[in-house]
Amino acid sequence: MLNWLGTLRSSFERKSGGKSLPSQVEESLKREKLTSLPSKEKAAAFLDENRFADALIQYENLIEIDDKDAASFMGLAYVHEQMQAFDAAKKNLAIVLQLTPDEPDAYFMLARIAAARNQKEEAIKCFENLLNKAPRFEIGYESYSFFLFQERKIESALDVIDRGLKCFPENANFHLIRGNLNTSKGAYDSALFDFDRAVHLEPSSVSANFRLADTHHSLQNWNSALEYYNKTLVLDVNNFRALVK
């Protein structure tokens, strides 16, 4: 359609001595041009479909249009991270932080990249930087504690979750994570309290009910274990682990 309109423009201008196109044709041309432009909506749709190469083109074109758009640089960094082009991702994150110095998503991605590269000290530094600058960045506590757990730093992971619970005391998942950490070091009484709190906050959580049942089982609280295994099966009838207990 765009080529046809371009031909029409030239023809009309020759016949009219260079006068402008009729307004309705100009509007059609404008609409066609706009639909061909890159957009954040297109980029996001490509990301949803894991079409990273297409998303990459969208974000690069958006940056050509506006090289001060931090959101587009952030999107480009995310695409690079997903493609494991970590140096390129960090380059774009540096630009994001120049444009918006307190952007928590940028610090979070830097921490994820360091963790993926097994740069342990750098990952800890980035996570700490993130939570110091953005203590309300909820997912940061979860990711940081999981990283520390993988590094077998259980007490440090517990400290991180406790910091998170000071900000988000009603976060059921934080209590679930805390229970799992306590279980990993054999502190079943503490884990029992954590899982019980998680179930109280989120009664429909399959994981919380199952972990509470399992902890009662470990402590030989047979009746309570049976109660929460049954609750798990009510929530998830195909939960094989609860069924075989």
Side-chain angles (χ1 to χ4, degrees), residues 24-215:
Q24 64 268 28
V25 178
E26 286 284 8
E27 286 300 316
S28 295
L29 180 61
K30 183 178 180 181
R31 285 196 300 271
E32 178 64 23
K33 183 178 180 182
L34 285 173
T35 58
S36 67
L37 290 174
S39 73
K40 293 176 184 177
E41 290 77 13
K42 289 180 186 177
F46 288 141
L47 288 179
D48 288 341
E49 298 171 6
N50 292 329
R51 293 170 59 182
F52 298 123
D54 291 324
L56 186 72
I57 293 170
Q58 289 291 314
Y59 283 122
E60 287 178 341
N61 289 339
L62 284 165
I63 288 167
E64 284 188 15
I65 295 170
D66 182 3
D67 64 359
K68 302 297 182 185
D69 182 8
S72 292
F73 280 106
M74 192 72 211
L76 187 57
Y78 177 76
V79 172
H80 280 136
E81 182 198 15
Q82 294 303 301
M83 299 174 75
Q84 297 189 352
F86 296 133
D87 288 335
K90 290 181 70 174
K91 179 180 178 181
N92 286 292
L93 290 172
I95 297 172
V96 171
L97 291 173
Q98 286 178 356
L99 296 170
T100 52
D102 295 324
E103 175 54 61
D105 285 322
Y107 291 108
F108 184 45
M109 195 178 297
L110 286 170
R112 292 204 310 261
I113 289 171
R117 283 180 152 177
N118 203 31
Q119 298 171 338
K120 301 173 185 179
E121 292 183 5
E122 180 65 17
I124 290 173
K125 178 182 176 181
C126 290
F127 276 121
E128 287 291 341
N129 200 17
L130 164 67
L131 295 179
N132 286 335
K133 290 179 177 294
R136 302 292 300 178
F137 197 84
E138 203 163 357
I139 195 174
Y141 296 100
E142 182 176 340
S143 297
Y144 189 14
S145 66
F146 181 70
F147 169 76
L148 292 169
F149 170 74
Q150 288 182 309
E151 296 301 312
R152 297 182 175 83
K153 298 180 182 293
I154 305 303
E155 294 301 331
S156 296
L158 280 166
D159 288 342
V160 169
I161 284 298
D162 285 343
R163 285 161 59 186
L165 283 168
K166 288 180 180 178
C167 295
F168 304 99
E170 303 300 299
N171 186 313
N173 197 47
F174 282 9
H175 289 282
L176 182 61
I177 291 169
R178 196 177 193 282
N180 287 331
L181 291 169
N182 275 317
T183 298
S184 71
K185 68 173 191 173
Y188 295 110
D189 287 329
S190 295
L192 190 69
F193 175 84
D194 296 325
F195 294 134
D196 185 70
R197 183 63 178 157
V199 168
H200 174 77
L201 291 168
E202 195 172 329
S204 62
S205 170
V206 174
S207 296
N209 277 278
F210 178 77
R211 297 299 293 140
L212 182 56
D214 245 14
T215 307

